[in-house]
Amino acid sequence: MEMKKRVAEAAVEYVQDGMVVGLGTGSTAFWAIQKLGARVKEGLRIKAIATSAKSEALAIELGIPMVPFAEVDYIDVTIDGADEVDMEFNLIKGGGGALLREKIVAAASRQLIVIVDETKLVRQLGQFSLPVEAVRFGIETTKRAIEQLGCRAGLRLHDGSPYITDNGNYILDCEFGTIEHPEQLTHRLNAIPGVVDNGLFIQMARKIIVGYRDGVIKTLE
Ligand code: 5RP
């Protein structure tokens, strides 16, 4: 918890007055939103766009002013977590089920700052099951088509029922083991009818702030 808080707080130092800020989702992004809330109380003037209903509710509770997406041309900086990060700054995201909004927000951002602990750094992506957001209609067919790409796909459950995203879709968690060619895989997945998007973020991150067990925090860029 302490490490997550520290990397999150290091990322929030990049936020300046007047910025539009993208708020990530997850237990590390939680601390970034907390810190932003504290800075807003001290007088920081920002507007925010959240990547999930949960992060939006937290931001509102903390008094962070939100702005409708339609009213901004771009986001200055987005701070978000990740499930895996490789040497080329490719990411797996979506462990918290928010990958679609996270990717839309990241793509609209001038800078995506990713906050992780050292356990998320990997040589090759794929140990973490890749989340794929898919529409409910025809999910079994979509699942079979995804499995043709060389994985086992499982429908994500929550309290025994299928997990439903903020966008009303399902998540298939796909066990690839290793992903040799992430860029190729993202295109192949997104070409399957029924797939809305997947959790591979190909070179979207500008900075990776990493917390190490010994307390050191490093910024990779
Ligand atoms: C949510 C995400 C999160 O950023 C990712 O799962 C990391 O979460 P945490 O900081 O709790 O480990 O992609 O969809």
Side-chain angles (χ1 to χ4, degrees):
M1 184 271 249
E2 190 54 35
M3 197 196 288
K4 291 183 187 205
K5 192 170 171 213
R6 289 186 55 218
V7 288
E9 293 188 352
V12 169
E13 284 179 22
Y14 291 96
V15 177
Q16 293 166 9
D17 250 349
M19 283 185 165
V20 177
V21 182
L23 308 176
T25 296
S27 59
T28 319
F30 168 88
W31 290 109
I33 300 170
Q34 290 286 345
K35 182 65 181 177
L36 280 169
R39 284 192 58 194
V40 165
K41 284 206 176 70
E42 288 161 13
L44 177 74
R45 290 175 300 109
I46 55 165
K47 289 176 186 163
I49 293 177
T51 55
S52 62
K54 195 170 176 189
S55 292
E56 178 162 275
L58 175 64
I60 290 170
E61 191 186 310
L62 294 169
I64 300 173
M66 307 303 291
V67 62
F69 215 151
E71 284 178 22
V72 302
D73 293 330
Y74 59 86
I75 295 165
D76 292 286
V77 61
T78 290
I79 301 171
D80 204 350
D83 301 299
E84 280 187 351
V85 180
D86 76 8
M87 315 285 181
E88 267 103 51
F89 283 21
N90 297 318
L91 318 172
I92 287 184
K93 286 186 51 54
L99 68 100
L100 178 58
R101 293 192 188 191
E102 288 173 337
K103 200 180 276 188
I104 294 169
V105 167
S109 302
R110 293 205 156 156
Q111 182 164 207
L112 171 63
I113 303 178
V114 171
I115 46 179
V116 290
D117 65 56
E118 62 175 320
T119 64
K120 308 275 186 79
L121 298 181
V122 297
R123 198 176 291 276
Q124 205 163 35
L125 299 176
Q127 277 291 108
F128 190 91
S129 295
L130 176 66
V132 175
E133 181 155 345
V135 295
R136 291 192 249 181
F137 181 80
I139 192 69
E140 284 304 327
T141 309
T142 307
K143 177 176 176 299
R144 280 196 296 273
I146 291 173
E147 287 180 330
Q148 296 284 313
L149 298 179
C151 69
R152 228 183 45 209
L155 184 65
R156 188 178 297 185
L157 302 177
H158 178 71
D159 291 339
S161 302
Y163 174 84
I164 307 288
T165 69
D166 285 347
N167 318 298
N169 299 314
Y170 286 151
I171 298 257
L172 292 163
D173 288 304
C174 303
E175 289 171 40
F176 280 95
T178 54
I179 297 174
E180 304 276 350
H181 304 290
E183 190 166 358
Q184 197 180 75
L185 182 61
T186 193
H187 294 310
R188 286 194 173 162
L189 283 166
N190 288 4
I192 295 171
V195 168
V196 183
D197 211 334
N198 71 85
L200 287 167
F201 284 48
I202 306 298
Q203 292 184 3
M204 296 180 91
R206 182 81 69 80
K207 285 186 175 61
I208 314 280
I209 303 183
V210 189
Y212 292 84
R213 254 183 301 270
D214 57 9
V216 172
I217 290 188
K218 276 193 199 153
T219 301
L220 315 176
E221 48 195 332

